[in-house]
Amino acid sequence: MIKLSDRREMAARVVARCRELAAYSEVAGETTRTFLSEPMREVHRLVAGWMTSAGMAVTVDAIGNVRGVFGGAGAPRLIIASHLDTVPNAGAFDGILGVMLGIAVVEAFAGAGLPIAIEVIGFSEEEGVRFRRPFLGSMALVGTLDEMTLGVKDTNAVTVSDAVRGFGLDPSRMGEARLSPVTKGYLEFHIEQGPVLESLGRALGVVTALVGQTRLEFTFAGHSNHAGTTPMHLRRDALAAASAWVVAVEELARGTDGLVATVGRIEAFPGAGNVVPGKVTALLDVRHAEDWVRGEAVGRLMDAAASAGAKRGVAVSHRVLMEQAAVGLDVGLTGMLEEAMRNIGEAPVLLASGAGHDAMIVAPHVASVMLFVRSPGGISHHPDEDVLLEDVDAALAVGVEFVRLVAAAY
C-alpha cells in the first residue's frame, strides 16, 4: 500500500504532467493538438519517457498510439487508456488526465509482483478534429478502422494514411495495433466534462453507460448574388435557410427530455459581406441515452432542414459522419470499481456520460469501465478546464485499489 504522502505527491505529478503536455500545440498561446500533428512528436517523447521510467516496455503502433506494458507478456491484461489529442483551444486535462493517471497507477506498483499485466495507452486520436472522424486510435485497437476511413482527407487533402506515413509509421501494419488476446478489461479515467459531480459535492463518479450519438454534415445549396441588387423575395439565401434550421434544432432539443443537439460549426460561401450566401455547410451533433429517441430526433431534424430550404428555394442534402449506439459498461467491472471506491471511503455515485469516449469503442470488444473525475465549474473543451488536486488523489487511490481487486480475481 502506498503511503498517503507518496500518493499525494504522485497526484501532484499527474497534474503537473498534464499541464506540461498542454504546452505542445499547433497554435501558439493555446492548446490545440490534432491527430499526428508535429507537436504530438514531443508528446510521444515525454509520455514514452514517463512510461519507461515506470518500468513499462513502450511501443508506438501504426495509428500512433503510445503503449506501455507493465508485467509479463502472457499474463491477463488490464488496459488503462485515454487520448492525447485535443480540440482547438483546449484545456489541459480532457483525455490526457486519464493517460497520466494510468502511468501513476503503474508507478504505484513499482517493485510489486502482480498476477496481471497493465497496459497504458495514450490514443493518438479521439476528438475527430482533423479528419471529422473521431476515435481513430481506439478503432485501430479493436480492429474496426477500415480502408474507407484511412482514405478520408483533411482540409489540406491529406488522407489518414498519408498522415500516418508522414509521422513515420506504416498503415499497412495497422493490424498489429489490435489489442492483445490476453486482454481481460479496460479502465478509462476521464474528467466528467459536466456539472453533475460538482452539483452533488462529489469528487468521483462511476459511469454506467455512454449515450449514443449521431453526427451529420448538412449542405444548404442556394444561389449567390449581389446583396444590393437582389430583391429579398427573389433570393435563394442558403444562410437564411440554415439559420432557421439551427433555431429548429435548439427548439426540438429543449422540448425533448434528455436530448442534446448542437450545430457546432457553420460555414457560408462565398463568405463576403456584400454577397448573398449561396452555400452553407453545417455540422450537427445529436445525443441521447435511448437510441430510439435519438433516431426519431434526427429524422425530425432532417425534415426541418428540408422545410427550411424549401421555403427559400434552397436544396438541402446531408451525409452521416458518425452513428454510434448507446453503450452500457461492464456490470462486473463496474461493481469492482464501486467496491474500490467504498474501500477508500468514497460512496459510489453512478451516472451516464453525455460525452463520447474511447470506452464506447472498446466496450463492445472488451469488458470496460470508466471513472469520472469532477470538473470544477463543469467546464471542458476550454482553456479554463481544471481539476482539484484532492480529486486526482482520490482517483489515483481508486485506481490502485481497483487494480488490486482485479488482480485478486486471478
Side-chain angles (χ1 to χ4, degrees):
M1 179 73 71
I2 55 175
K3 294 187 295 186
L4 180 61
S5 58
D6 292 340
R7 199 184 70 213
R8 286 178 175 168
E9 182 180 332
M10 293 168 70
R13 188 161 63 240
V14 165
V15 174
R17 285 173 172 175
C18 291
R19 295 198 182 280
E20 182 176 355
L21 293 178
Y24 296 95
S25 172
E26 298 161 57
V27 181
E30 66 180 51
T31 301
T32 298
R33 190 171 57 248
T34 60
F35 174 63
L36 298 186
S37 58
E38 279 303 306
M40 195 67 83
R41 296 185 188 277
E42 190 65 13
V43 169
H44 277 194
R45 185 187 69 80
L46 289 168
V47 173
W50 295 329
M51 287 178 168
T52 300
S53 295
M56 289 182 263
V58 182
T59 58
V60 177
D61 67 24
I63 199 66
N65 298 326
V66 182
R67 305 170 71 159
V69 178
F70 177 79
R77 184 173 298 188
L78 172 68
I79 293 175
I80 305 177
S82 196
H83 61 96
L84 296 170
D85 67 318
T86 76
V87 297
N89 198 24
F93 300 99
D94 175 11
I96 290 81
L97 178 69
V99 184
M100 297 304 102
L101 274 169
I103 295 173
V105 168
V106 170
E107 290 172 338
F109 287 97
L114 284 173
I116 63 171
I118 302 173
E119 181 175 12
V120 178
I121 303 177
F123 289 122
S124 58
E125 204 286 332
E126 186 259 11
E127 296 288 5
V129 174
R130 181 173 178 182
F131 290 97
R132 298 186 183 182
R133 294 291 193 282
F135 308 121
L136 298 180
S138 50
M139 288 171 65
L141 182 74
V142 299
T144 58
L145 185 63
D146 57 23
E147 288 298 324
M148 183 178 295
T149 303
L150 289 172
V152 171
K153 296 179 180 180
D154 66 11
T155 55
N156 295 314
V158 176
T159 67
V160 175
S161 288
D162 291 338
V164 167
R165 280 188 287 267
F167 204 75
L169 302 170
D170 184 355
S172 71
R173 303 183 66 176
M174 202 61 66
E176 298 174 18
R178 296 193 66 166
L179 51 81
S180 166
V182 297
T183 303
K184 303 299 182 183
Y186 174 95
L187 167 65
E188 185 168 353
F189 297 98
H190 207 284
I191 57 171
E192 182 197 353
Q193 300 183 281
V196 175
L197 289 174
E198 184 171 70
S199 71
L200 297 173
R202 304 299 295 276
L204 306 173
V206 176
V207 180
T208 57
L210 299 104
V211 302
Q213 57 181 290
T214 303
R215 296 186 190 180
L216 306 101
E217 180 182 71
F218 280 78
T219 300
F220 295 79
H223 184 71
S224 296
N225 215 332
H226 196 291
T229 62
T230 309
M232 297 302 293
H233 72 286
L234 296 179
R235 295 187 179 203
R236 294 169 57 200
D237 189 329
L239 185 55
S243 298
W245 171 71
V246 170
V247 173
V249 170
E250 181 188 46
E251 289 176 346
L252 177 63
R254 284 182 178 272
T256 307
D257 187 41
L259 183 74
V260 291
T262 305
V263 180
R265 180 174 178 177
I266 190 164
E267 294 178 304
F269 303 92
N274 60 349
V275 180
V276 176
K279 178 183 175 182
V280 167
T281 60
L283 298 183
L284 173 67
D285 182 305
V286 183
R287 310 187 191 203
H288 197 277
E290 297 286 344
D291 289 335
W292 71 269
V293 176
R294 175 172 50 87
E296 184 177 276
V298 169
R300 291 175 64 184
L301 292 176
M302 290 177 180
D303 291 343
S307 176
K311 290 178 180 178
R312 297 164 178 84
V314 173
V316 179
S317 60
H318 72 271
R319 63 189 181 106
V320 178
L321 302 179
M322 187 180 78
E323 188 74 50
Q324 176 63 55
V327 175
L329 297 181
D330 185 75
V331 174
L333 286 186
T334 296
M336 285 189 179
L337 198 57
E338 292 179 60
E339 183 179 350
M341 287 188 68
R342 285 190 291 267
N343 289 352
I344 71 154
E346 290 274 347
V349 175
L350 306 180
L351 68 167
S353 172
H357 300 288
D358 290 298
M360 71 194 307
I361 303 301
V362 179
H365 304 269
V366 177
S368 299
V369 70
M370 284 193 74
L371 184 73
F372 271 171
V373 180
R374 172 168 44 191
S375 294
I379 297 170
S380 183
H381 284 187
H382 187 277
D384 291 343
E385 177 181 278
D386 204 357
V387 292
L388 301 176
L389 182 58
E390 58 266 31
D391 295 354
V392 177
D393 180 30
L396 177 56
V398 170
V400 170
E401 182 61 20
F402 177 75
V403 169
R404 292 185 193 280
L405 293 173
V406 172
Y410 291 94

